[in-house]
Amino acid sequence: RRLQTLRLVTQSEAQNEVTVQGIDDIFKARTRVAKDEEREVIWYKMVGNYPPYADYQEKTEREIPVVILEKIT
């Protein structure tokens, strides 16, 4: 399910846990940064959905992180 509106409400950096609020859902999730091939696949999908991401990446020397949220059940 795709969240149209997403807001990270709280974060505990030590545990990489966040509370996520969507339009009609609030849930806890763990965060991690996508690396290597996983990041590349996701990054190209993101750029396909929102091309200005590529423009932003070109304007910076750092690699823009792709953060994965894994719902805690």
Side-chain angles (χ1 to χ4, degrees):
R1 187 176 112 184
R2 183 177 176 191
L3 295 175
Q4 297 297 321
T5 303
L6 176 67
R7 182 173 69 125
L8 299 181
V9 179
T10 60
Q11 179 176 1
S12 168
E13 284 192 31
Q15 299 168 339
N16 292 329
E17 291 184 4
V18 294
T19 301
V20 180
Q21 179 179 342
I23 293 172
D24 60 354
D25 194 16
I26 297 175
F27 61 90
K28 298 238 183 242
R30 285 193 182 81
T31 64
R32 64 181 178 81
V33 177
K35 303 284 185 191
D36 305 321
E37 290 179 34
E38 179 186 37
R39 183 200 179 277
E40 187 175 331
V41 168
I42 294 169
W43 179 257
Y44 285 111
K45 287 179 182 179
M46 290 171 53
V47 169
N49 286 322
Y50 189 72
Y53 283 141
D55 298 333
Y56 181 54
Q57 182 63 71
E58 288 179 15
K59 294 177 184 177
T60 184
E61 292 181 17
R62 71 181 179 93
E63 181 176 85
I64 298 171
V66 174
V67 178
I68 307 295
L69 300 176
E70 296 173 330
K71 189 172 185 174
I72 298 171
T73 55

